[in-house]
Amino acid sequence: MGLLRLILAISVMIGHSPWYNKSYVLVQASVAVEVFYIISGYYMAMVIDYKYQQKIKAFYTNRIIKIFSIYWFVLLLILCIELIHCIMHHDLKTLIPFISLPFAAQVWVLFSNIFILGLDTMMFSTLQNGNIVFVHNFAAYKFAFHNFMWLPQAWSISLELYFYLLIPFLLKHKKILFLVFFCSLSINVLCFSSGFNSDPWSYRFFFSELWLFLLGSIAYINRESFIRISPCPLCILVLYVIYLLFYYSFYQYNEIGFKIILYILTFLSINTLFNLTKNFKVDKIIGETSYPFYLLHLLVLSIINPKNLFVFLLAILVTFILSFIIEKYFYSRVQKIRVKVE
């Protein structure tokens, strides 16, 4: 599923690009992130089943090493570039808003940016009379904490970390897993019907998004049943690929309906897709680059600033090459630590 993960990361990059004019994308950035949730749920259920059923501590350590090593590498790269820019232009204005924050807010901003946890909550908060307050729509306020996110797209990694904390327990207690799934789905429906259906509530609120992670886990848990009852798994996968490629062409006619169809097709296709690609080394390499690609894409866009398709394709290529270098020459060394942990 490596190619699918990279395609989704590129979809997010398209949504953030200055070139983006809605003429054609694969899926919206928000939908791509939610499909990532499903894939993550599937993978975590699989790796725990194969490697960590009796080694939950090793699972947590493994995930921490994987997530934070690459995150801190990219974060340090961005901070160094920002510092060089400030020194060269004798401009330290970017520090003024942070310095003016109350102490508690400074601690929160620093902790969340360094340790990822809590980055998502910045999308739900603002500062009023020196106090941190949670709001319905951050875009309606002049001051917004999301402006203090050093790696803005990493808010979704925060949701991933929450899920990692829960999934070992939920896999041991399947009934609770299904109960949590339906509770989260109910919260999602309740939020939507109550008017909490726009950004950030539409895809950044963990409790209403948890069901998507668990949907992927349920696909793994029931993989053998799918094989028995599915009339033609390959046909469903082909339908899924076609639907994914042309999703943006028709989703506007009924956004919610077509999103639900995409999630259902992902759920039905994920086992077949994994089985078809699991032995392809190139696909695995491509998949491993998707995480650094996701973290790097805003930095590359800010430097290259693509205004047309050709330059945007160049930006994709540069992001992929940088991601490959990080994965091969930095994380491969970190990987040795992970092997020792296992």
Side-chain angles (χ1 to χ4, degrees):
M1 291 191 288
L3 183 58
L4 174 61
R5 288 154 61 193
L6 182 63
I7 288 172
L8 293 172
I10 292 172
S11 295
V12 174
M13 188 174 184
I14 292 173
H16 291 154
S17 173
W19 162 78
Y20 173 57
N21 60 7
K22 296 187 178 182
S23 58
Y24 179 75
V25 295
L26 296 168
V27 296
Q28 309 124 284
S30 59
V31 176
V33 168
E34 290 187 311
V35 175
F36 259 122
Y37 295 161
I38 300 173
I39 295 172
S40 179
Y42 182 89
Y43 267 122
M44 291 308 104
M46 180 182 64
V47 297
I48 290 173
D49 183 41
Y50 273 87
K51 294 183 180 181
Y52 302 111
Q53 282 194 35
Q54 306 301 323
K55 299 187 294 182
I56 301 306
K57 183 179 177 181
F59 167 75
Y60 287 134
T61 305
N62 188 294
R63 288 291 91 197
I64 289 170
I65 293 171
K66 169 69 175 180
I67 294 296
F68 284 96
S69 60
I70 296 177
Y71 175 79
W72 284 336
F73 183 92
V74 175
L75 184 63
L76 184 62
L77 177 64
I78 289 173
L79 292 177
C80 288
I81 292 173
E82 183 66 26
L83 180 62
I84 292 169
H85 178 269
C86 290
I87 293 173
M88 289 180 63
H89 294 84
H90 305 286
D91 182 12
L92 297 176
K93 290 180 182 178
T94 53
L95 295 176
I96 295 175
F98 174 78
I99 294 171
S100 64
L101 290 175
F103 177 72
Q106 290 179 347
V107 172
W108 180 34
V109 167
L110 285 173
F111 177 86
S112 297
N113 277 291
I114 294 172
F115 297 105
I116 306 178
L117 294 169
L119 278 178
D120 56 307
T121 60
M122 290 189 180
M123 313 299 294
F124 297 85
S125 55
T126 187
L127 197 67
Q128 291 183 346
N129 301 320
N131 298 313
I132 300 170
V133 295
F134 290 93
V135 294
H136 179 193
N137 181 6
F138 66 87
Y141 294 83
K142 276 188 176 181
F143 182 94
F145 274 105
H146 69 85
N147 293 320
F148 293 90
M149 295 166 70
W150 301 336
L151 260 171
Q153 67 275 34
W155 66 265
S156 66
I157 311 302
S158 183
L159 270 63
E160 292 267 356
L161 292 175
Y162 302 151
F163 172 67
Y164 295 162
L165 287 172
L166 294 174
I167 190 58
F169 170 79
L170 294 177
L171 287 173
K172 284 186 176 181
H173 303 85
K174 301 293 194 302
K175 290 182 180 179
I176 297 178
L177 186 150
F178 281 94
L179 177 62
V180 172
F181 170 82
F182 285 111
C183 286
S184 175
L185 181 58
S186 299
I187 292 171
N188 187 287
V189 173
L190 183 62
C191 285
F192 182 83
S193 60
S194 301
F196 291 84
N197 54 3
S198 58
D199 196 6
W201 300 93
S202 55
Y203 69 109
R204 303 182 200 259
F205 184 45
F206 175 69
F207 295 105
S208 65
E209 296 297 295
L210 179 56
W211 73 275
L212 287 165
F213 288 101
L214 295 179
L215 187 67
S217 299
I218 292 169
Y220 176 79
I221 292 169
N222 293 282
R223 63 195 182 282
E224 293 180 1
S225 299
F226 287 160
I227 294 172
R228 287 197 305 268
I229 65 175
S230 180
C232 183
L234 195 57
C235 295
I236 296 173
L237 178 60
V238 170
L239 176 63
Y240 175 61
V241 171
I242 295 172
Y243 189 84
L244 194 66
L245 290 174
F246 295 97
Y247 170 83
Y248 197 79
S249 302
F250 46 78
Y251 95 97
Q252 300 169 67
Y253 298 108
N254 186 339
E255 182 175 355
I256 300 301
F258 284 115
K259 275 176 64 174
I260 291 172
I261 293 172
L262 180 62
Y263 301 150
I264 292 173
L265 286 174
T266 304
F267 173 72
L268 295 174
S269 304
I270 195 166
N271 281 293
T272 307
L273 183 59
F274 174 75
N275 288 329
L276 283 175
T277 59
K278 64 182 179 181
N279 295 320
F280 286 94
K281 187 176 179 180
V282 172
D283 185 76
K284 183 180 179 181
I285 293 171
I286 291 172
E288 291 297 331
T289 64
S290 63
Y291 177 49
F293 187 101
Y294 181 71
L295 294 178
L296 282 167
H297 78 270
L298 282 181
L299 172 64
V300 174
L301 287 175
S302 67
I303 295 172
I304 295 181
N305 193 29
K307 295 295 179 63
N308 58 61
L309 177 58
F310 175 78
V311 181
F312 177 71
L313 292 175
L314 176 63
I316 291 177
L317 180 61
V318 170
T319 308
F320 180 79
I321 291 172
L322 291 174
S323 302
F324 179 79
I325 291 171
I326 290 173
E327 186 66 32
K328 183 172 178 60
Y329 296 103
F330 168 71
Y331 187 67
S332 61
R333 298 184 179 184
V334 177
Q335 181 79 357
K336 294 177 182 178
I337 300 174
R338 289 182 68 190
V339 171
K340 289 181 181 179
V341 169
E342 294 178 8

